[in-house]
Amino acid sequence: MLKGVSGDDEVMITAIMDSLEKHWSKSDQEVFIAAVILNPVYKARPFSRINKFTNAGIYLLLVKLWKHFYHGMDPPVELQREMMDYLQGLGDYEGMDAWVQATMQTATMNHQRLDPIQIYESISFPDQEPTPLKKLAFRIFSICANSAS
């Protein structure tokens, strides 16, 4: 199974992998997948070859999560356009990729982790209501942070 791994190590690695797969199958996978997609470092790139994650599929995922978090309410109509702008780097998200790269370099130099919430906050005005996508991202990242602790 694993090249160059001794018998004892292979047993341990297999047990760890089995445990991870067991817990992953029991988790709310959609929230974690959405967290990857809404993370400006990754966007949809990790899922680019999976048919389920076309723009339409991603939108359906975000709508499902919106309805779950906001008690069955339909998302605002702006969510679809904003999602497309985010994924394509247009509109309010036009400079986000360059900002993310610069922020990643600064974080690396300072031996810090890049916080996706801080990225969204840095492209927002503090006195304005978050846009639908940002509101959903804040909610999802707060869930994932709590799940990791």
Side-chain angles (χ1 to χ4, degrees):
M1 177 179 144
L2 303 168
K3 288 185 176 182
V5 176
S6 69
D8 289 342
D9 287 344
E10 184 173 352
V11 169
M12 180 181 66
I13 291 169
T14 301
I16 292 169
M17 293 299 294
D18 289 345
S19 176
L20 287 171
E21 288 177 14
K22 178 182 171 187
H23 285 86
W24 175 250
S25 68
K26 292 180 180 179
S27 70
D28 190 358
Q29 297 173 14
E30 291 175 330
V31 171
F32 291 104
I33 291 168
V36 172
I37 293 169
L38 294 176
N39 185 322
V41 173
Y42 306 111
K43 295 186 179 179
R45 285 185 296 275
F47 307 109
S48 64
R49 299 283 184 233
I50 301 172
N51 290 335
K52 181 178 181 179
F53 297 107
T54 61
N55 291 337
I58 292 170
Y59 180 70
L60 289 175
L61 172 63
L62 297 180
V63 167
K64 181 177 180 179
L65 292 172
W66 183 280
K67 287 183 175 187
H68 176 75
F69 297 141
Y70 301 105
H71 310 289
M73 287 179 40
D74 287 332
V77 293
E78 306 91 67
L79 180 64
Q80 182 183 18
R81 179 205 44 81
E82 187 182 2
M83 181 203 80
M84 293 302 299
D85 285 353
Y86 166 75
L87 293 173
Q88 296 172 356
L90 302 172
D92 290 346
Y93 299 93
E94 188 171 346
M96 188 178 217
D97 289 340
W99 180 253
V100 167
Q101 291 305 314
T103 306
M104 283 176 54
Q105 289 175 350
T106 302
T108 300
M109 286 185 345
N110 295 325
H111 306 288
Q112 296 174 334
R113 290 178 150 185
L114 186 68
D115 181 358
I117 291 175
Q118 289 178 340
I119 296 289
Y120 279 98
E121 288 172 343
S122 69
I123 63 165
S124 304
F125 293 105
D127 59 336
Q128 290 183 346
E129 176 79 18
T131 61
L133 188 76
K134 291 174 187 173
K135 187 174 181 178
L136 190 57
F138 292 147
R139 185 77 178 254
I140 288 170
F141 291 130
S142 68
I143 290 168
C144 292
N146 288 332
S147 296
S149 59

